[in-house]
Amino acid sequence: MKFELSLKTNLFQLSALSVCFLMASAEVKAQNITIAIETKSNALVLQADAKKNLNTIYFGKKLSSAAEYDEVPSVFKQSGEYTSVLSSPYTPSGSKSLMEPAISVSHADGNNSLDLRYVSHKLSKIDGDVSLTTVVLKDPVYDFEVTLYYKTYFKDDVVEQWSVIKHKEKGNVLLQKYASANLYLKAGGYWLTQYHGDWAKEMRPEESRITHGIKTLDTKLGTRANLFQPSVFMVSLDKPATEDEGTVLYGALEYSGNFRTDIELDYLDNLKIISGINNYASAYTLKPNEEFTTPAFLYTLSSSGKGNASRNLHNWARNYKILDGKGQRLTLLNNWEATYFDFNETKLFELLKDTKKLGVDMFLLDDGWFANKYPRNGDVAGLGDWEENKTKLPNGVASLVKEAQANGVKFGIWIEPEMVNPKSNLYEKHPDWVIKQPKREEYYFRNQLVLDLSNPKVQDFVFGVVDDLFTKNPELAYIKWDCNAVIYNAYSATLGNQNHFYIEYMRGLYKVLERIRAKYPTVPMMLCSGGGGRVDYAALKYFTEFWPSDNTDPMERIFIQWEYSYFYPSITSSNHVTDWGKQPIKFRTDVAMMGKLGFDIVISHLKENDLKYVQDAVKTYNDVKSIIWSGDQYRLANPREGSVASMGYVSTDKTKALMFNYLVNNRYDEGSKFPIRLKGLDAAKKYKIKELNLYPGTNSSIDSNKSYSGEFLMTVGFNPVVNSGRTSVILQLDEIK
């Protein structure tokens, strides 16, 4: 009896305890604050617990019921987490965190720890498509605050994320690391696609499985930052993504200077991605009430392969980021490979006539038109002295602009205003404007040094280079802005804190570009950096296009342009027909048409049929360029996986499409042996197919009278008949109405 009573009492006590536990759990759960940051297809979900620790609880495909995000943590049965901040959306250092931090600081009192707790969040609607979520975090001990910003572009599944750091401590705080974003992903495995290169070898991909530890993608070059390591990357989840299958994240930092992306697989097999300005040699002293704003980290997540991710980015870029992203572009003839530095007014007048003969919009005068004391007759002298060379151009640039107008074409010009040759008047007058260590031997990159854009006087000078050209020549139609040198011996003669140098250089550059765009908002400018050394979405706010590579061999360009197409729309890619490579003029021109077309050849040296071909090709390009620039882009046959490369562009209404096809393997009997499946068409529509850009005197093997359903073309495919006798084939599809 006593045993029974005791058992009942114990059971009652256990039940009471269970009720208390459930009530406590419900109370804790009730105190959780969930923040769902959603786009059309995806959701990034943050949650603050009862102690205001903020963590990422979900990042993936959007759920129909937002309430179910709260259930996500319960279905993962991984090992203990220890710290409550492992999945923090902005991991602090020095307190509980055991892994790589997004932010690391030394407080005014010397304390190196930081603890960031949730304070508040807010959702603001910018327009029907764009929203901004802000999340405020604060240290409970120190008056130190970080605000996380998530700008979402709903339709395109694109997110821009950045942070603003500030404090009200009684002295300066030292920022040791200050990332823009800190993502946390869960999957059964992870594969990284990264890029590497050098001059003329841009955008070479490498894919590898991510293993435990940290993989860092970074640059310390200061300028021309993407020379060896572009900041763009992909991470595939569960398995390597293909063009049309698999889950893949595209990431890119919107910054033109030193960047750093840490990719860490932790002890729970989850992946942390931290990206921002490289903190190398850049500890930043933050004054009380000063705000430090990081550049935006851009990402898009696709659950249906790489192609969908790239089209999301293309649409976003054209609509929101690239200068005049949905506008027109100028086709051009450049003089560089025709003359190099050896030209005069008479030669240029002849080239202007060739511009009209070719049928393009503009003539572009490249390097070598300036400097008198140290004439710019090679790359060893004159850079920085931006007056017209009196020997080459006795009547100045104005005479060329006038002659261009007389020929019915526009005129553009090359500049490299951030740089200086030691053999120049500028260097002699203003040695303190040059980036160089006072106690070190000067070391040159392409016989030049970089001007110190952290210096406001240098900013005024660089702005003045552009402003003077337009003041004297209001009809100037285009700027090719080059940037050939990296920064050696980093030092500013006027900057008090040298740890701020790399950051202040970039701030100075952006200030100059802002001033230029405020005064000249619509002038087209090419972003050139000895090739693809400066290609990023922060710079493309100010430029209409970029130069992918100085390597214009069309076979190489197929591969280079292919890789850039994952991240940048074709309207931004400047592609020139040159004499690089051994391919015929048709092959070279067809490759260059997959973007913004230009020529850098001697028109007077062309054979009669070659000239007729390029003239007709320019006309054809003008007819179809809107599809290339604004249509949806589809990679159809990867040049790294077979003997044929094929790229497709489909108009948004699916009534027209283009298919560019090239032989990339010259071994015996190689060609398009199998049909190539098209993508993006309307399965119910009927299409006719005709061949474009036929070389004079040749006939197409494509029967333009046949019709095919979109379903057939996307399921079975179409054979463009690429072989050693037809190495380049462009097809146009038109809906039959």
Side-chain angles (χ1 to χ4, degrees):
M1 181 71 106
K2 283 183 179 179
F3 175 77
E4 185 177 337
L5 182 61
S6 174
L7 181 62
K8 286 179 178 178
T9 303
N10 288 339
L11 286 171
F12 175 79
Q13 289 173 337
L14 284 171
S15 298
L17 285 170
S18 298
V19 170
C20 289
F21 177 78
L22 289 170
M23 287 175 66
S25 297
E27 186 179 348
V28 168
K29 189 172 183 181
Q31 290 176 338
N32 287 346
I33 298 168
T34 303
I35 308 166
I37 301 162
E38 295 183 325
T39 60
K40 180 180 66 176
S41 306
N42 304 316
L44 170 64
V45 184
L46 312 178
Q47 190 174 79
D49 64 19
K51 293 184 177 181
K52 305 302 182 184
N53 293 303
L54 187 67
N55 283 284
T56 303
I57 63 167
Y58 183 75
F59 184 30
K61 201 169 182 179
K62 184 167 68 174
L63 302 181
S64 299
S65 171
E68 289 196 299
Y69 292 129
D70 288 337
E71 303 303 322
V72 171
S74 67
V75 299
F76 284 89
K77 305 298 180 183
Q78 294 167 291
S79 301
E81 197 268 274
Y82 303 122
T83 68
S84 302
V85 296
L86 183 64
S87 58
S88 168
Y90 203 69
T91 310
S93 70
S95 52
K96 295 183 294 182
S97 175
L98 301 174
M99 311 304 286
E100 183 64 28
I103 182 170
S104 179
V105 307
S106 295
H107 293 282
D109 64 2
N111 191 307
N112 290 327
S113 69
L114 183 64
D115 187 7
L116 293 174
R117 304 293 180 96
Y118 168 84
V119 176
S120 64
H121 72 280
K122 183 173 68 173
L123 173 63
S124 304
K125 205 78 168 155
I126 296 174
D127 60 34
D129 185 48
V130 185
S131 299
L132 183 67
T133 301
T134 57
V135 182
V136 179
L137 308 175
K138 193 171 182 181
D139 191 303
V141 176
Y142 290 91
D143 198 349
F144 187 97
E145 183 178 292
V146 176
T147 303
L148 306 180
Y149 290 81
Y150 300 85
K151 192 173 185 179
T152 56
Y153 300 83
F154 188 83
K155 295 175 186 174
D156 298 321
D157 286 326
V158 167
V159 181
E160 289 181 294
Q161 184 181 340
W162 68 93
S163 59
V164 174
I165 306 165
K166 61 183 179 181
H167 72 92
K168 294 180 181 179
E169 297 184 26
K170 293 181 179 179
N172 295 334
V173 170
L174 193 64
L175 302 183
Q176 306 280 10
K177 190 177 182 184
Y178 31 85
S180 299
N182 182 168
L183 302 181
Y184 198 71
L185 295 81
K186 291 177 180 283
Y190 312 88
W191 281 259
L192 172 67
T193 300
Q194 64 184 95
Y195 295 87
H196 70 99
D198 197 350
W199 179 80
K201 295 182 285 188
E202 287 84 356
M203 289 296 286
R204 299 198 169 187
E206 292 176 315
E207 186 174 57
S208 59
R209 182 162 190 162
I210 298 173
T211 55
H212 291 84
I214 298 179
K215 172 82 172 183
T216 297
L217 311 177
D218 78 336
T219 184
K220 304 176 181 72
L221 301 179
T223 186
R224 201 178 175 183
N226 292 331
L227 178 62
F228 305 135
Q229 176 85 69
S231 60
V232 294
F233 64 92
M234 307 177 196
V235 172
S236 298
L237 308 183
D238 296 316
K239 62 181 181 179
T242 64
E243 196 66 28
D244 302 305
E245 293 182 341
T247 301
V248 61
L249 173 82
Y250 282 21
L253 188 67
E254 296 180 32
Y255 194 62
S256 310
N258 291 347
F259 63 82
R260 171 177 170 178
T261 299
D262 295 315
I263 300 170
E264 181 176 29
L265 186 60
D266 68 21
Y267 59 92
L268 294 183
D269 302 323
N270 301 326
L271 192 70
K272 183 190 293 281
I273 300 174
I274 298 173
S275 187
I277 296 173
N278 198 334
N279 55 337
Y280 160 76
S282 298
Y284 191 87
T285 301
L286 189 67
K287 298 174 183 176
N289 297 307
E290 178 187 357
E291 292 191 351
F292 185 94
T293 302
T294 69
F297 176 68
L298 166 73
Y299 52 95
T300 185
L301 184 70
S302 166
S303 59
S304 53
K306 297 176 182 179
N308 178 59
S310 68
R311 286 184 290 278
N312 285 342
L313 268 188
H314 295 174
N315 287 331
W316 167 82
R318 287 189 295 255
N319 286 322
Y320 296 106
K321 187 59 60 169
I322 301 158
L323 185 67
D324 198 23
K326 301 175 82 171
Q328 292 299 305
R329 297 294 186 268
L330 298 170
T331 53
L332 60 84
L333 175 65
N334 194 5
N335 73 300
W336 179 243
E337 293 194 18
T339 66
Y340 294 101
F341 294 99
D342 182 20
F343 59 80
N344 55 34
E345 188 177 78
T346 303
K347 273 188 182 180
L348 296 179
F349 279 12
E350 290 302 313
L351 290 173
L352 282 163
K353 293 175 183 174
D354 287 340
T355 308
K356 179 67 173 177
K357 182 192 295 185
L358 182 60
V360 294
D361 302 316
M362 183 186 70
F363 175 76
L364 173 62
L365 175 59
D366 216 291
D367 195 356
W369 58 268
F370 51 91
N372 289 293
K373 182 177 180 181
Y374 301 104
R376 184 69 169 172
N377 295 322
D379 65 7
V380 298
L383 195 58
D385 300 344
W386 296 101
E387 75 277 359
E388 295 102 327
N389 181 275
K390 294 175 183 176
T391 302
K392 296 179 182 179
L393 303 177
N395 299 301
V397 170
S399 67
L400 299 172
V401 176
K402 186 177 180 181
E403 185 68 13
Q405 289 177 313
N407 280 275
V409 297
K410 297 179 184 294
F411 184 84
I413 201 163
W414 176 98
I415 55 173
E416 192 178 3
E418 297 165 70
M419 309 294 165
V420 63
N421 285 129
K423 195 173 181 181
S424 68
N425 199 38
L426 179 66
Y427 182 92
E428 292 176 351
K429 282 186 174 181
H430 300 287
D432 59 319
W433 286 11
V434 178
I435 296 172
K436 57 177 182 173
Q437 286 279 354
K439 297 181 180 180
R440 303 289 180 189
E441 180 183 357
E442 288 182 5
Y443 194 71
Y444 307 126
F445 197 106
R446 203 193 180 213
N447 303 303
Q448 63 195 57
L449 294 165
V450 183
L451 293 175
D452 178 13
L453 275 171
S454 70
N455 183 342
K457 291 181 180 178
V458 176
Q459 295 170 26
D460 290 341
F461 169 80
V462 173
F463 171 77
V465 172
V466 177
D467 193 38
D468 288 349
L469 278 169
F470 282 107
T471 300
K472 295 174 184 175
N473 308 284
E475 300 303 318
L476 192 64
Y478 184 91
I479 294 288
K480 178 181 178 182
W481 184 303
D482 216 338
C483 169
N484 282 297
V486 302
I487 294 176
Y488 292 121
N489 294 321
Y491 179 85
S492 168
T494 58
L495 197 62
N497 187 342
Q498 296 299 320
N499 285 336
H500 290 192
F501 169 76
Y502 286 114
I503 292 171
E504 292 299 339
Y505 177 88
M506 291 312 307
R507 286 175 174 173
L509 173 63
Y510 292 144
K511 284 178 183 176
V512 171
L513 293 172
E514 288 282 356
R515 287 175 67 185
I516 289 170
R517 282 309 175 195
K519 191 167 183 180
Y520 306 103
T522 60
V523 175
M525 292 205 304
M526 180 203 291
L527 179 62
C528 183
S529 191
R534 182 188 276 168
V535 183
D536 65 86
Y537 276 117
L540 283 169
K541 288 194 304 182
Y542 309 104
F543 292 83
T544 48
E545 58 222 57
F546 69 88
W547 183 237
S549 177
D550 280 348
N551 187 341
T552 53
D553 181 317
M555 187 63 72
E556 295 289 336
R557 270 303 189 104
I558 289 171
F559 290 82
I560 293 171
Q561 292 168 200
W562 183 278
E563 299 302 332
Y564 273 118
S565 77
Y566 287 109
F567 301 95
Y568 302 100
S570 56
I571 193 171
T572 62
S573 181
S574 292
N575 308 329
H576 291 183
V577 180
T578 74
D579 288 328
W580 279 48
K582 299 178 180 179
Q583 292 79 14
I585 192 70
K586 172 175 166 51
F587 192 100
R588 286 180 274 153
T589 305
D590 289 357
V591 170
M593 282 177 63
M594 294 191 300
K596 206 222 73 170
L597 178 65
F599 292 83
D600 203 338
I601 53 178
V602 184
I603 302 301
S604 60
H605 291 180
L606 292 176
K607 297 176 183 176
E608 183 180 351
N609 277 345
D610 283 358
L611 176 60
K612 187 176 189 315
Y613 170 78
V614 294
Q615 289 171 328
D616 290 343
V618 169
K619 293 175 184 176
T620 299
Y621 178 75
N622 287 333
D623 289 338
V624 301
K625 62 188 179 185
S626 63
I627 305 172
I628 300 168
W629 294 349
S630 303
D632 293 324
Q633 188 170 9
Y634 294 88
R635 288 170 291 275
L636 307 177
N638 193 325
R640 287 186 167 83
E641 297 174 358
S643 297
V644 174
S646 184
M647 184 74 80
Y649 302 86
V650 181
S651 64
T652 53
D653 62 2
K654 301 182 184 297
T655 61
K656 292 181 178 292
L658 296 171
M659 185 182 184
F660 291 79
N661 309 276
Y662 310 98
L663 183 67
V664 294
N665 183 347
N666 291 319
R667 297 198 67 183
Y668 177 73
D669 196 33
E670 289 299 329
S672 55
K673 298 178 181 178
F674 292 87
I676 297 171
R677 293 188 185 95
L678 285 90
K679 300 173 186 177
L681 303 176
D682 186 329
K685 291 184 187 296
K686 286 279 191 179
Y687 297 91
K688 279 192 174 182
I689 301 175
K690 66 179 179 181
E691 185 169 353
L692 305 180
N693 279 21
L694 288 168
Y695 190 81
T698 63
N699 296 312
S700 176
S701 57
I702 306 299
D703 187 348
S704 60
N705 293 314
K706 283 188 176 180
S707 64
Y708 305 85
S709 68
E711 180 188 35
F712 178 90
L713 294 170
M714 292 189 291
T715 305
V716 178
F718 186 82
N719 198 317
V721 194
V722 174
N723 54 46
S724 60
R726 284 168 52 84
T727 58
S728 173
V729 178
I730 301 178
L731 303 177
Q732 178 173 328
L733 286 74
D734 291 288
E735 180 192 3
I736 302 171
K737 296 183 179 180

